[in-house]
Amino acid sequence: MSAFSPLFSAGPPVWNVARPAELGPLDPAPPDVQGNLAALRGALAGVLTAASGHDLVFVGRSPEPLRAYLGGLLAGVAVPWDTRGLNVSLLHTELDAAQQVALRPLLGAAGLNPWVLAQQDRRVALVDVVASGGTFAELHGALRVWGTAQGLPTQSVVRRVRLLGLECSGPARPGAAHWSNQSGLRGLQTRSILTDPALWRWLAWYESVKVAPRWPPDAWSTAPDYLPERTAERLQALAQARALYVLGTQHTEREAMVAALNRAGGQHVQAIRALVQVWRSTRQRPVRRRHGRLPSPR
């Protein structure tokens, strides 16, 4: 696996959509890509603005389109934040103590070891498509327990790990509780990024095509060392991810992203202002991974 793979996650191996030679023949991208592109751009702009230059960890398979698109946007730009994935499937799951311990190597591989975060004084934003917030509650709870086992105070994790939930916009159900108000998330750093309902369904629906396989707790101890089967649905997902990656490398798309970032308030975030400057300074240059290193936001 190449070191730069937009969809690489802590979990089962996946293809590197930045390298077309590794993907094999693909059909054209599904029409959902263009139909959801404007909303996807706006959602990612909201995520980057809310993250404020902190490391990003995309949770599960739902954010795959955002990750592929962001991979293209950052191709040729060395940013000061890490962008990683954590492929765990925790829908309707409550982790027991043994499962929390089994999760720790995956958390560490995603850059979420509490001791390392404290020693390096880094901040991380977890990003997921959210409904009830249950996945966030389980992950943050597991991180706090791990931090306590390492001798860290609970607040060490609380102040270093924020939760960014892509939430479906629209009128709330009468009496419905907001995801961030559930007991496992109270007092934590949370932020909702409202998304178009069609985009939310495209990202969240179980039927949506995904590059990575599901990775529930009972599979964590037996990670395969081979790529997933190339089913018809997975080939569609690869075509979709590759199309989004290529879009992100294009100057016109980066300019459209600048406009989306400005609408989201990104001009007030130093890391985003620097990113925009690098995009524009490399406008006429070939895309190379090491061009345009940005200053650290800290």
Side-chain angles (χ1 to χ4, degrees):
M1 173 102 40
S2 164
F4 177 59
S5 178
L7 296 185
F8 172 77
S9 289
V14 294
W15 289 268
N16 187 349
V17 298
R19 294 182 176 273
E22 298 179 10
L23 304 180
L26 297 174
D27 291 332
D32 288 345
V33 170
Q34 285 297 332
N36 288 292
L37 181 57
L40 185 76
R41 190 187 297 130
L44 182 58
V47 166
L48 294 178
T49 300
S52 299
H54 297 336
D55 295 344
L56 295 171
V57 175
F58 290 89
V59 178
R61 306 189 306 159
S62 296
E64 275 188 2
L66 282 90
R67 295 182 62 197
Y69 178 54
L70 178 60
L73 291 170
L74 297 183
V77 178
V79 294
W81 66 82
D82 290 333
T83 301
R84 308 191 194 195
L86 175 63
N87 181 12
V88 292
S89 303
L90 295 178
L91 185 64
H92 308 309
T93 299
E94 293 185 7
L95 297 174
D96 59 29
Q99 289 172 328
Q100 286 187 341
V101 172
L103 179 61
R104 290 174 185 175
L106 295 172
L107 293 172
L112 290 167
N113 185 317
W115 178 259
V116 174
L117 291 176
Q119 291 298 303
Q120 298 181 356
D121 194 23
R122 296 192 71 82
R123 304 293 191 271
V124 181
L126 302 187
V127 183
D128 195 9
V129 179
V130 68
S132 69
T135 294
F136 275 156
E138 293 300 317
L139 288 176
H140 209 290
L143 284 168
R144 297 196 302 273
V145 170
W146 191 12
T148 299
Q150 294 173 324
L152 298 172
T154 298
Q155 283 302 310
S156 178
V157 174
V158 171
R159 69 172 175 264
R160 287 185 170 84
V161 181
R162 66 178 60 178
L163 307 172
L164 307 182
L166 292 160
E167 183 178 359
C168 185
S169 63
R173 301 185 306 277
H178 191 262
W179 65 270
S180 62
N181 290 331
Q182 69 158 285
S183 58
L185 297 176
R186 290 174 189 160
L188 305 183
Q189 299 180 71
T190 63
R191 181 80 64 85
S192 287
I193 293 93
L194 295 181
T195 65
D196 177 83
L199 174 71
W200 191 92
R201 289 191 295 269
W202 182 51
L203 296 174
W205 274 3
Y206 186 81
E207 294 83 1
S208 299
V209 294
K210 304 297 181 187
V211 172
R214 289 188 69 250
W215 198 240
D218 59 5
W220 291 345
S221 62
T222 55
D225 57 1
Y226 52 84
L227 291 168
E229 183 182 358
R230 291 172 67 88
T231 62
E233 293 79 8
R234 188 151 286 122
L235 289 173
Q236 289 181 12
L238 283 170
Q240 175 177 286
R242 174 63 186 171
L244 286 166
Y245 174 84
V246 172
L247 274 169
T249 66
Q250 297 173 357
H251 167 68
T252 54
E253 189 58 37
R254 290 179 175 184
E255 283 298 312
M257 189 63 190
V258 171
L261 286 166
N262 287 337
R263 288 192 294 271
Q267 69 271 26
H268 302 299
V269 178
Q270 189 274 341
I272 291 178
R273 294 197 303 271
L275 174 61
V276 171
Q277 290 175 358
V278 171
W279 277 341
R280 289 177 170 169
S281 69
T282 59
R283 176 175 175 174
Q284 303 299 331
R285 302 177 190 171
V287 171
R288 294 177 184 168
R289 180 60 182 159
R290 296 186 180 278
H291 278 180
R293 179 169 295 277
L294 302 181
S296 171
R298 281 184 274 278

